[in-house]
Amino acid sequence: MARQGDRRTRTGLSRLGGRLAASLRYGENPHQTAAFYHSPERRYGVATARQVQGKQLSYNNVGDTDAAFELIAEFDPLRTAAVAIIKHANPCGAAEAATLRDAYELALRCDPVSAFGGIIALNRKLDAEAAAEMVKIFTEVIIAPDADEAAIEIVATKKNLRLLLTGGLPDPRRRPLPIGRWRAAFWCRAATMSSLTTWICA
C-alpha cells in the first residue's frame, strides 16, 4: 500500500521496512518465535514506550497493549481521567471519572473476572492512588503516558508486572496507516508446519 498526498492507493508490490526493536518471548503460540520492529512513523504507544520494569513482552502482550492504548487515547485527558482494560484484544471495561483511581474502579466493575491478567491503559500520568488499586489483582501490563515516582515504587512491589511509559498519547484524529495490529510498528512470527518454517510479517 502506498500514499499519494492524503490519498491511499494500492500497488501490485508493497515493501515494508523497519528497525528491530526486540525479540519477543514467543509468537502467537508458545512454539513460535516472534520479533517486534519499529516503522519510520512516530506515534506514541508501545513503539515509543520505555519499559520501567517487568518481564519481557510477548507477542500477545504487545498487540493487546497497543489496542488498549489506542482506545484510551479517544478520551481527552484535559477533560477527564480514563482507564481501559483489555484482554485478548477484547475490552473488559472502560470508564472515565474525576480521578484515575475512580475511573479504574468503574472499568474493573464492568467485568472483574475477565480483567484478571489483562492490560490496563491510562490517559493520564499514573499516580500512587491509582497504582495502589491496580496492583491488587494480577495484571500483565500497565501503559500510561507517564508515572510519578510514588506510583513506580508501588508497581515495583509486583516484579513481573510490566510498566510502560510512552511519553504521550497518540492523536486519535490522525489515523496511522495500519500495518498488522500495531501502530508505528509491525510484527513477524514464525509459522511452523512439519519441517517447514516461514516468517509471516503483517
Side-chain angles (χ1 to χ4, degrees):
M1 184 176 287
R3 289 188 181 181
Q4 183 175 5
D6 291 330
R7 302 175 63 186
R8 297 182 184 185
T9 59
R10 298 190 180 197
T11 64
L13 176 66
S14 293
R15 290 180 179 163
L16 188 62
R19 179 175 54 83
L20 179 64
S23 294
L24 302 177
R25 292 175 62 211
Y26 53 85
E28 191 163 14
N29 298 293
H31 71 281
Q32 296 170 320
T33 55
F36 182 49
Y37 291 81
H38 287 173
S39 75
E41 182 176 10
R42 172 79 177 180
R43 184 174 178 84
Y44 290 116
V46 180
T48 66
R50 173 175 65 94
Q51 183 169 344
V52 177
Q53 69 155 65
K55 295 187 295 184
Q56 183 183 13
L57 292 166
S58 73
Y59 167 94
N60 293 319
N61 291 151
V62 177
D64 286 351
T65 304
D66 177 74
F69 204 58
E70 287 289 329
L71 187 160
I72 208 62
E74 299 285 342
F75 296 85
D76 182 356
L78 298 178
R79 184 184 64 83
T80 185
V83 173
I85 306 171
I86 299 284
K87 186 175 180 182
H88 299 156
N90 293 301
C92 305
E96 58 180 22
T99 68
L100 285 173
R101 176 182 175 174
D102 290 345
Y104 170 71
E105 289 178 340
L106 289 171
L108 182 63
R109 200 178 301 168
C110 293
D111 189 347
V113 175
S114 294
F116 185 86
I119 310 293
I120 301 174
L122 321 173
N123 72 338
R124 288 182 178 175
K125 184 176 184 178
L126 176 63
D127 56 42
E129 187 179 43
E133 290 300 315
M134 292 174 187
V135 298
K136 289 181 179 179
I137 68 167
F138 172 62
T139 297
E140 290 279 3
V141 180
I142 297 174
I143 184 168
D146 200 356
D148 62 34
E149 287 303 318
I152 291 173
E153 289 178 7
I154 291 169
V155 175
T157 63
K158 304 292 183 180
K159 66 178 184 179
N160 290 328
L161 173 56
R162 304 161 182 92
L163 177 60
L164 303 182
L165 303 181
T166 65
L169 285 171
D171 184 351
R173 298 164 298 180
R174 179 177 167 270
R175 292 296 177 188
L177 180 65
I179 304 171
R181 291 194 296 170
W182 308 337
R183 286 68 174 176
F186 63 92
W187 56 267
C188 292
R189 65 177 172 82
T192 305
M193 297 173 288
S194 184
S195 60
L196 175 67
T197 299
T198 60
W199 282 86
I200 300 173
C201 295

